[in-house]
Amino acid sequence: MSKLQIEKNKQNAKKQEARLKKIKINEEKKKQQDKKNQALNDLIMAEKARLEVERAKQKEASRRGIKKCEITAIEFDWLFDDKYGVNFLVDLKESESIQIFSIELVKNIILYLWTFYKVAIFINIFLPFLIYFIAFLIFATWLQKGTTTGSDVVKAVFIFIVFSS
C-alpha cells in the first residue's frame, strides 16, 4: 500500500469514528428524552387516577347530600431554591405532551408564576413589538404614498432600521 492509501484509510477511519460518536450521542439524548417523557407520563397517569378517585368521592358525597370544602396548600420554595425546581421548570418547558398542563399542580404553579412575570413580559416583549409594528406601519404607509425615488427609499430604510432597533 502506498502512503496515500494509508492516509486515506486513516481519514476514513477517523470519519467513521466521528459518525459513530455522533450516533452514540444522539442515542443517549434520545434515551434521556424518553426517560423524561416516561416520568411526565407517569405523573399524568397518577393525576388521572387521583381525579377519578376524587370524582367517585364527589358522587358519593352528593348522593349523601354532603357539601365538600377543599383547601389546598402548595409549598413553592423548592421551585426556586434548588436544582430540582429548575429542572422541573425546564422539563415543563421542553415537554412535548400538552396533557401535563391539565394537572392541577402545574396549573397552580403557572398561575402563581404568571403574577410575577406578566408585567415583565408586557414591558420587555409586547411594548417593543408594538413600537416596531407601528414603525413598520408608518414606514409602509409613507412608501405607499409615492415617495419612491431611490435616495428617498434608502433614507426611509435607514430611518426604519435605526428607529426599530
Side-chain angles (χ1 to χ4, degrees):
M1 277 192 169
S2 68
K3 289 183 179 181
L4 185 61
Q5 288 177 337
I6 294 173
E7 285 298 317
K8 283 185 179 180
N9 288 342
K10 285 182 182 178
Q11 288 176 355
N12 287 338
K14 286 181 183 179
K15 287 180 182 177
Q16 185 67 20
E17 192 176 306
R19 283 188 205 122
L20 291 173
K21 221 180 241 190
K22 285 181 182 178
I23 291 171
K24 188 175 181 181
I25 289 171
N26 288 337
E27 287 175 355
E28 288 176 13
K29 285 181 182 179
K30 181 151 177 47
K31 285 180 184 177
Q32 289 175 349
Q33 187 64 35
D34 289 344
K35 285 181 184 178
K36 286 181 183 179
N37 288 340
Q38 183 61 38
L40 291 175
N41 286 336
D42 291 345
L43 185 63
I44 290 168
M45 295 306 284
E47 181 66 15
K48 284 182 179 178
R50 186 192 68 78
L51 287 174
E52 287 178 18
V53 170
E54 276 300 311
R55 286 187 191 116
K57 286 181 182 178
Q58 287 175 356
K59 285 181 182 178
E60 179 65 25
S62 66
R63 188 180 62 79
R64 291 184 181 176
I66 300 172
K67 293 197 177 185
K68 181 179 174 184
C69 176
E70 184 176 325
I71 297 174
T72 26
I74 303 171
E75 199 171 330
F76 279 110
D77 62 341
W78 64 272
L79 201 58
F80 304 109
D81 289 342
D82 60 8
K83 65 181 179 181
Y84 298 112
V86 173
N87 288 341
F88 174 75
L89 291 176
V90 169
D91 289 344
L92 191 63
K93 178 185 83 167
E94 294 174 353
S95 171
E96 294 178 6
S97 172
I98 198 160
Q99 292 176 340
I100 194 157
F101 297 103
S102 66
I103 298 173
E104 235 10 77
L105 175 67
V106 174
K107 287 180 185 177
N108 289 332
I109 289 172
I110 291 171
L111 287 174
Y112 177 75
L113 292 175
W114 177 246
T115 60
F116 295 106
Y117 292 113
K118 178 174 37 178
V119 174
I121 289 171
F122 182 80
I123 291 172
N124 295 324
I125 295 174
F126 181 69
L127 284 182
F129 166 76
L130 193 61
I131 291 169
Y132 179 79
F133 184 66
I134 291 171
F136 175 75
L137 289 177
I138 291 170
F139 173 71
T141 304
W142 184 70
L143 277 180
Q144 185 66 26
K145 285 188 177 181
T147 57
T148 55
T149 63
S151 63
D152 286 343
V153 171
V154 170
K155 287 178 187 175
V157 168
F158 178 74
I159 290 169
F160 177 71
I161 291 170
V162 169
F163 181 69
S164 63
S165 54

